[in-house]
Amino acid sequence: MQKKQIFLCAINNVLSGTCNEDCKFCTQSVRYKAAIERYTFKEEERVLREARQAAANGALGYCLVTAGKGLDEKTTEYVARLADRLSRELPGLRLIACNGTATPEQLRHLKAHGISSYNHNLETSRRYYPEICSTHGWEERYTTCEAAKSVGLSLCTGGIFGMGEEEEDRESLLESIASLQPESVPLNFYIPNPALPIPERTIDREAGLSVIRRMRERMPDLPLLMVAGGREALFSGYEDAMFDAGANAIVIGDYLTTPGESPDRDRQLLQDLGYEVATECHGR
């Protein structure tokens, strides 16, 4: 029997900690003064070095993330330049942009410069969203997801679980994600930080596995169901259960402002569990 393939993705926080929004789950908001590294427009050569390392670690997808509510002209051009360079020098990487709310025109520009997929998470249900963010609405997020699809980009959208939401909110979020028919769904599990207004993670391992399972049931043919932020805290030592529930992708390396596992450790873990690291990405 063929071994199950697990897809690896890496992210690069290329503009960090400069966001003026008040999302209660996010250390990149300047409002909460979290102890993170803050900088604007990471140097191009450094991004290239980090992308080469991610590719060497087996990442097929590489996401360029910028802090902030959404794209403006300067950020759009910066991400486009990075995408141009990376697509020339690392043609095997599938480039993903995660830059907040965006217009169809901005998204077309990114696509023209080498971006294949756009990541914009719904984060939680429409009902619960005002409890975690007051500076913009859930509908803006959904509209951006629709815009990404409208210009021919692959859509990557998911959310964060364990922020104090009710079970009905989790169900509603999963339904909303499925309604967009994305090609990739990252499931994140809240990572508490003493600077943030949400004091603790309100989901346990079994409930997390249930979220994975229910997302897979809704979209049995979903190419990539990814466990991303919070994986190490919730599923360490139980990764086989996570994959049995329907996940087939993980983020390797560090996250936006929190460290992840060593990529070497993750690759060894997958080997020990009897999985293969995928060498070709769906949709290429």
Side-chain angles (χ1 to χ4, degrees):
M1 187 174 69
Q2 186 177 8
K3 293 181 180 180
K4 182 176 180 178
Q5 289 193 327
I6 304 300
F7 296 81
L8 307 183
C9 183
I11 61 179
N12 194 324
N13 197 15
V14 297
L15 192 163
S16 174
T18 59
C19 187
N20 292 309
E21 302 299 289
D22 70 352
C23 303
K24 293 179 180 179
F25 55 82
C26 187
T27 55
Q28 299 214 75
S29 171
V30 299
R31 298 171 184 241
Y32 305 126
K33 299 180 174 59
I36 64 167
E37 187 180 2
R38 301 178 191 272
Y39 49 84
T40 57
F41 303 116
K42 187 182 285 188
E43 197 264 332
E44 188 176 302
E45 291 298 327
R46 180 179 170 188
V47 175
L48 180 61
R49 287 195 306 272
E50 291 167 345
R52 284 191 177 123
Q53 185 59 58
N57 288 334
L60 295 175
Y62 197 67
C63 189
L64 302 170
V65 187
T66 54
K69 178 178 179 291
L71 282 169
D72 55 24
E73 183 176 355
K74 187 174 182 181
T75 304
T76 302
E77 290 303 324
Y78 168 69
V79 175
R81 285 197 308 274
L82 290 179
D84 267 333
R85 181 81 183 273
L86 293 174
S87 59
R88 286 197 312 270
E89 301 203 23
L90 292 165
L93 273 185
R94 182 176 176 85
L95 298 181
I96 308 148
C98 178
N99 314 125
T101 53
T103 65
E105 291 73 24
Q106 292 166 329
L107 293 165
R108 282 192 197 95
H109 188 67
L110 295 183
K111 185 181 180 213
H113 287 266
I115 294 296
S116 297
S117 177
Y118 199 73
N119 170 224
H120 194 52
N121 292 335
L122 297 178
E123 305 301 18
T124 191
S125 70
R126 183 198 297 258
R127 184 198 74 84
Y128 191 64
Y129 198 79
E131 299 296 320
I132 63 167
C133 179
S134 69
T135 47
H136 64 270
W138 185 92
E139 290 77 9
E140 287 187 62
R141 289 183 174 273
Y142 197 91
T143 299
T144 292
C145 292
E146 291 179 314
K149 294 191 68 173
S150 76
V151 305
L153 287 167
S154 297
L155 176 63
C156 173
T157 187
I160 307 174
F161 298 85
M163 299 188 290
E165 74 279 355
E166 302 291 338
E167 182 61 29
E168 67 181 277
D169 297 303
R170 294 174 188 172
E171 286 297 311
S172 176
L173 173 56
L174 295 176
E175 286 290 346
S176 295
I177 291 169
S179 74
L180 287 162
Q181 289 295 296
E183 293 192 12
S184 176
V185 174
L187 302 177
N188 299 277
F189 300 90
Y190 179 61
I191 300 173
N193 183 290
L196 296 178
I198 302 173
E200 60 185 358
R201 183 187 306 109
T202 59
I203 192 169
D204 61 17
R205 183 182 305 116
E206 286 305 313
L209 290 172
S210 178
V211 166
I212 298 170
R213 194 174 299 112
R214 299 200 309 269
M215 188 73 252
R216 178 55 77 186
E217 288 170 354
R218 281 177 171 80
M219 299 189 71
D221 298 323
L222 175 68
L224 296 175
L225 179 53
M226 179 182 301
V227 182
R231 168 170 65 92
E232 294 81 0
L234 214 58
F235 300 113
S236 181
Y238 294 85
E239 289 86 357
D240 51 345
M242 184 179 78
F243 296 127
D244 287 344
N248 68 339
I250 59 173
V251 173
I252 59 166
D254 293 338
Y255 300 100
L256 296 179
T257 62
T258 57
E261 291 287 0
S262 157
D264 288 341
R265 181 194 177 281
D266 275 335
R267 290 175 63 89
Q268 185 62 52
L269 172 70
L270 293 175
Q271 181 178 321
D272 293 345
L273 291 175
Y275 297 110
E276 290 182 347
V277 174
T279 57
E280 184 176 351
C281 195
H282 292 309
R284 288 202 65 85

